[in-house]
Amino acid sequence: MKRQVSLEEISDGRLYDRHDMVRAGCGGCRGCSLCCHGMGRSAILDPLDVHRMIQGCGMSMEALLTEKAELNVVDGIILPNLRMSGEDEACGFLNKEGRCSIHPFRPGVCRLFPLGRYYETEDSFHYFLQVNECPAPNKTKVRVEKWIQQPEIARYEEYVLSWHRFLECAETRVAQEKDEDTVKNINLYLLKMFYLTPYDPQADFYEQFEKRLSAARGVLDF
């Protein structure tokens, strides 16, 4: 989801890579779950997020969409996001104590918070600290890669870039298409290819993803 704000408005003015120290540590949140409320449609799930959640929760994508997630249009492309529900607009994965019930396999957007990604070119991105999002006082410094806790982080960052580039192309393709039925069919194809068709949990996710990405580029001709 593209944010129509300047980096100066929302960050500390610095860009970080995974080896840098950033003031994001908040002592395990100490019972706070404000970032799990009122997020609207912004907690967008990528294919790896859904794969991990399906495996961790033992449910299908269809069941996930029925109970904990929903589909919305993001920059012209239909993508899943975490569903906020109830009067307090809480994430459905919060338990009665206000803690994340899927913390070991939580989505990338949750691992990242309060950091964000700034894409300088289609081949690189940096992390930035969102200074107005988390109200916890006296945050401590923590290394970025330790904070986001992504296994095989170098491969993960390559995956993030590949998915970002692909979505950029898909958004351009949809924006240029004047036939509504074609736009609908493109979106249905992308949902089935990257989200609804399960990945083999015994095989390498990234290799499976790259094969699907290559096939989708061929079908959509970009």
Side-chain angles (χ1 to χ4, degrees), residues 125-137:
F125 71 85
H126 282 86
Y127 301 95
F128 67 92
L129 177 64
Q130 301 178 84
V131 294
N132 302 315
E133 299 298 329
C134 176

Side-chain angles (χ1 to χ4, degrees), residues 93-165:
F93 287 109
L94 284 179
N95 61 24
K96 293 180 180 179
E97 289 72 42
R99 306 298 285 174
C100 178
S101 63
I102 59 166
H103 198 263
F105 45 93
R106 66 199 184 280
V109 64
C110 303
R111 294 170 183 266
L112 196 60
F113 187 87
L115 304 183
R117 297 190 195 101
Y118 177 70
Y119 294 88
E120 296 175 292
T121 70
E122 66 174 17
D123 295 316
S124 68
F125 71 85
H126 282 86
Y127 301 95
F128 67 92
L129 177 64
Q130 301 178 84
V131 294
N132 302 315
E133 299 298 329
C134 176
N138 305 317
K139 293 184 182 68
T140 58
K141 285 190 174 183
V142 60
R143 199 174 303 279
V144 170
E145 61 184 339
K146 182 177 180 180
W147 177 253
I148 62 178
Q149 295 182 330
Q150 287 286 3
E152 298 184 283
I153 190 168
R155 295 187 75 194
Y156 174 74
E157 289 183 338
E158 284 297 318
Y159 156 77
V160 166
L161 278 171
S162 293
W163 183 236
H164 174 75
R165 286 193 296 261

